[in-house]
Amino acid sequence: EKGGFEHFMLKEIFEQPEVMRDVMRGRVRVEEGLVHLGGIHDYLDRLKQAKRIVICACGTSWHAGLIGEYLIEEFARIPVEVDYASEFRYRNPIVSSDDVVIVISQSGETADTLAALRLAREKGAMVMGICNVVGSTIARETLCGMYTHAGPEVGVASTKAFTAQVIVLFMLAIAMSKGRTISHEEIRLNLRELAEVPDKVARILEQNDAIKEMAVKLKDARNALYLGRGYNFPVALEGALKLKEISYIHAEGYPAAEMKHGPIALIDEDMPVIVIATRDNTYAKILSNIEEVRSRKGRVIAIASEGDREIERLTKDVIYIPQASAAVLPLLTVIPLQLLSYHVATLRGCNVDRPRNLAKSVTVE
Ligand code: M6R
């Protein structure tokens, strides 16, 4: 059942190119510049007219929501707020029938997310779901939605469900912008970038052995810092969550520029810093963040774009990912971070599929 892999988590990481193709199948038509989302087709006009979109979720699904915020705001130019479902439900949020609330949940059973959904409905918002488990409670109680079609995810650490959620949000952002905010040509370019992601992910997975070697350097750390900017900021959060939940190493994710507002005080030779430093509009800034870490003797592991020689001046520990447009980068940069956590956890002898104190779906608050 693990398909020859030692753990479900590793199997699920390696399934991602195929899962990504499944998520897009029948939905993405690159040449026509079209996205077809059957589950929300009848509600798309209302969605495009929303004054505001609120995304509610927990954990990794919340990280996908943050990427969704960047995508929807960039492409569809509609304001988006992302809230932890547990905060949203208890703070008497301002929501009305002008708003669309999107709940994201792999399991479709997370107690706080379900409660947020019910509250948003009571307040008159249109509620859409992005779920993986077909027929789950959240999928049933939302007005409309989209399934991620990632197949069963057994490992407690979410991997393929996350990348499937991000693809769904990407398709949604494009569908919402069509005929409104971006040109047909831009839509085609973005869909082409998206369609190329599965093959690029497959190429990253080929570096598994090299990533495992890098994990040796992290395995005895007590803390780790993950930094990213722009679309890669939520990936930094996700990388840190993956590490802490399965290897029990304390890790924090930060938007890189926030480092000097506090976390920089922690940096010394015992603090590994994983920096996502891809070639996008934040690249120059990220390089100076790396210099700041290095001048305090922090150990840097960089995730960088193929062909980038400049980065090697700053650190020898580099994992390269294929070049891609900024909006699809999270789908690539998260892959080495998933593998890194997996290997660190196995090197430390942890039970990666069933980490202590954690359940696959959190059905009580
Ligand atoms: O099933 P859900 O997507 O609603 O679950 C939300 C979180 O419990 C979940 O993402 C959790 O953070 C994972 N263990 C992360 O890997």
Side-chain angles (χ1 to χ4, degrees):
E1 46 171 7
K2 290 187 202 139
F5 289 95
E6 205 176 323
H7 297 98
F8 281 108
M9 182 181 175
L10 193 61
K11 170 176 177 261
E12 288 160 4
I13 291 173
F14 271 82
E15 273 171 4
Q16 286 176 109
E18 209 41 51
V19 165
M20 290 173 163
R21 288 185 197 104
D22 289 343
V23 185
M24 290 186 244
R25 185 159 299 126
R27 290 165 157 179
V28 172
R29 300 189 203 150
V30 179
E31 288 320 313
E32 292 161 73
L34 246 173
V35 172
H36 177 76
L37 300 170
I40 60 152
H41 188 260
D42 295 342
Y43 302 91
L44 195 55
D45 282 339
R46 186 150 162 217
L47 191 57
K48 288 177 169 181
Q49 282 157 20
K51 292 239 166 34
R52 184 178 68 137
I53 290 173
V54 179
I55 299 179
C56 287
C58 304
T60 287
S61 298
W62 183 79
H63 297 153
L66 289 179
I67 297 170
E69 172 187 4
Y70 285 32
L71 291 168
I72 295 171
E73 291 202 345
E74 177 172 345
F75 293 145
R77 310 303 298 163
I78 297 174
V80 180
E81 250 174 64
V82 188
D83 215 345
Y84 286 112
S86 56
E87 288 298 311
F88 178 87
R89 63 180 288 202
Y90 286 118
R91 67 183 174 86
N92 192 13
I94 304 170
V95 197
S96 73
S97 53
D98 291 335
D99 300 316
V100 172
V101 173
I102 303 177
V103 288
I104 309 176
S105 175
Q106 186 285 130
S107 62
E109 304 296 344
T110 300
D112 282 320
T113 312
L114 179 59
L117 176 181
R118 290 178 177 160
L119 179 66
R121 277 185 65 167
E122 264 170 43
K123 290 181 177 277
M126 176 176 123
V127 186
M128 280 179 48
I130 298 177
C131 294
N132 192 43
V133 177
V134 177
S136 55
T137 313
I138 292 175
R140 280 187 279 114
E141 292 199 17
T142 40
L143 180 67
C144 61
M146 288 158 294
Y147 282 115
T148 39
H149 295 312
E153 189 179 66
V154 179
V156 164
S158 186
T159 53
K160 63 175 182 170
F162 171 76
T163 44
Q165 289 164 342
V166 174
I167 291 181
V168 166
L169 288 159
F170 193 102
M171 295 188 296
L172 184 68
I174 294 286
M176 287 168 64
S177 56
K178 194 172 168 57
R180 287 181 56 244
T181 41
I182 58 175
S183 69
H184 186 68
E185 199 40 43
E186 282 173 291
I187 291 189
R188 282 182 29 171
L189 281 175
N190 278 293
L191 291 181
R192 186 164 307 131
E193 283 283 341
L194 185 66
E196 285 171 1
V197 164
D199 288 346
K200 292 180 179 174
V201 169
R203 278 168 52 204
I204 300 171
L205 293 170
E206 287 169 11
Q207 300 177 61
N208 185 34
D209 290 343
I211 295 171
K212 186 172 180 179
E213 271 169 43
M214 220 158 291
V216 176
K217 305 189 177 183
L218 263 182
K219 79 175 208 325
D220 297 316
R222 299 195 52 205
N223 301 286
L225 195 59
Y226 286 71
L227 302 177
R229 300 176 84 115
Y231 280 104
N232 285 319
F233 156 53
V235 178
L237 298 180
E238 174 61 6
L241 175 60
K242 286 292 86 99
L243 188 72
K244 63 189 135 188
E245 72 177 327
I246 59 169
S247 75
Y248 318 138
I249 294 174
H250 169 244
E252 294 296 329
Y254 264 93
E258 277 296 302
M259 190 177 68
K260 45 170 100 54
H261 299 281
I264 199 163
L266 295 168
I267 293 176
D268 61 15
E269 58 277 12
D270 296 325
M271 175 65 97
V273 184
I274 296 94
V275 186
I276 311 169
T278 43
R279 285 258 184 204
D280 52 46
N281 61 345
T282 66
Y283 181 70
K285 302 272 176 199
I286 268 280
L287 287 192
S288 62
N289 295 137
I290 296 179
E291 310 251 22
E292 285 158 8
V293 173
R294 282 191 10 125
S295 64
R296 286 159 187 89
K297 300 199 172 62
R299 289 184 288 143
V300 174
I301 295 179
I303 314 293
S305 303
E306 245 166 37
D308 182 358
R309 294 280 90 91
E310 220 173 318
I311 199 91
E312 286 170 13
R313 280 194 304 111
L314 299 176
T315 175
K316 287 195 180 33
D317 296 325
V318 186
I319 304 168
Y320 288 102
I321 60 143
Q323 292 183 8
S325 69
V328 300
L329 279 175
L331 293 163
L332 304 177
T333 50
V334 76
I335 309 292
L337 301 188
Q338 294 170 344
L339 285 170
L340 201 58
S341 329
Y342 170 81
H343 291 303
V344 171
T346 51
L347 287 168
R348 286 165 68 92
C350 301
N351 183 346
V352 291
D353 284 336
R354 290 194 154 276
R356 66 187 185 202
N357 309 339
L358 278 171
K360 180 65 185 162
S361 67
V362 184
T363 52
V364 290
E365 32 170 323

